Amino acid sequence: MPDPQGTAEQIAMARMALLPANAQVVYPCEEYWVPVVSVMGRVHVFPGIPKLFEDLVDAYLPGLVARLSGKTVLAFTRALVGIRQRESAIAPILDKLQERYAPMGVKIGSYPDWVPKKQPTTNEVSPDWKPTVVVSVVGKNKEQVEACRAEICLLLDGIDLGTNTP
C-alpha cells in the first residue's frame, strides 16, 4: 500500500498521483495496490490499463450500486468483439460505424493487445485463438449495442466475445 512515510517503494507509490484532499481512495481488489478514487461520491477514477480497469470495476461496482440504492442507476450494455487485424487497418470502418451509432448513444472503442477474461466459446475458434484488437461497444440500449456488435463481426470478420449488462 502507498505510504508517504513508509519504505522507499511505498513512498514512490504514494508520489505517483496527487489527489484532492476530499478524495476517497478505495482498494477494491486485494491483489492490486491500484486504487479507485472517488471525488465527492460523484466522479470515480479508474486506471486506464484495460485488465486493471476491468478487475477494479468488477470489484467496485457492487459496493457503488449498494451506496446508490434508492437512486436510479442507468445500466449500460457492453459487447466485446475480437479482431485479428491491426488496429490501424480497422480504424476507418470503426470511425464510420461510430458516426452512425453515436446519435443513438453507442460508443465504440478499440484496444490492441488486450485479452479479456472471457474468451470465445464457439466451435469455429481454436482454444489458443487470441485477438490482436478487442473492440468494445457500449450503450444504454441493448438492441442498438447488439446491432453494432453484429455489424462489426460481419465487416471485420470478428468473433463475439460476449455481452454484459450490469
Side-chain angles (χ1 to χ4, degrees):
M1 297 294 222
D3 180 357
Q5 310 303 321
T7 66
E9 184 179 5
Q10 291 171 328
I11 292 168
M13 283 191 284
R15 285 195 322 248
M16 290 183 183
L18 296 175
L19 305 172
N22 63 346
Q24 180 185 14
V25 180
V26 180
Y27 294 89
C29 288
E30 291 180 22
E31 63 267 26
Y32 297 134
W33 64 268
V34 179
V36 172
V37 178
S38 174
V39 180
M40 298 175 59
R42 303 183 98 196
V43 176
H44 305 273
V45 182
F46 291 81
I49 300 167
K51 170 76 172 121
L52 294 176
F53 176 84
E54 184 175 61
D55 289 350
L56 289 169
V57 166
D58 288 346
Y60 186 75
L61 194 57
L64 178 61
V65 170
R67 284 191 300 280
L68 294 175
S69 62
K71 296 181 182 179
T72 302
V73 178
L74 298 175
F76 286 86
T77 296
R78 178 175 76 162
L80 300 177
V81 179
I83 309 287
R84 295 290 306 252
Q85 299 179 49
R86 290 184 333 274
E87 187 176 28
S88 59
I90 67 173
I93 294 169
L94 294 179
D95 287 344
K96 287 180 183 172
L97 287 170
Q98 182 61 71
E99 272 183 42
R100 240 183 46 239
Y101 281 92
M104 298 175 234
V106 174
K107 296 187 181 195
I108 301 170
S110 59
Y111 304 92
D113 301 322
W114 173 43
V115 180
K117 287 181 191 176
K118 184 177 179 182
Q119 287 296 305
T121 55
T122 65
N123 294 331
E124 307 163 13
V125 181
S126 70
D128 56 338
W129 183 91
K130 299 278 187 273
T132 53
V133 177
V134 173
V135 176
S136 171
V137 182
V138 179
K140 294 177 187 173
N141 184 298
K142 184 175 181 173
E143 289 76 26
Q144 292 167 346
V145 169
E146 288 293 334
C148 185
R149 178 206 48 80
E151 274 193 77
I152 291 169
C153 285
L154 180 67
L155 294 171
L156 298 173
D157 196 27
I159 299 294
D160 183 5
L161 297 178
T163 301
N164 68 354
T165 304

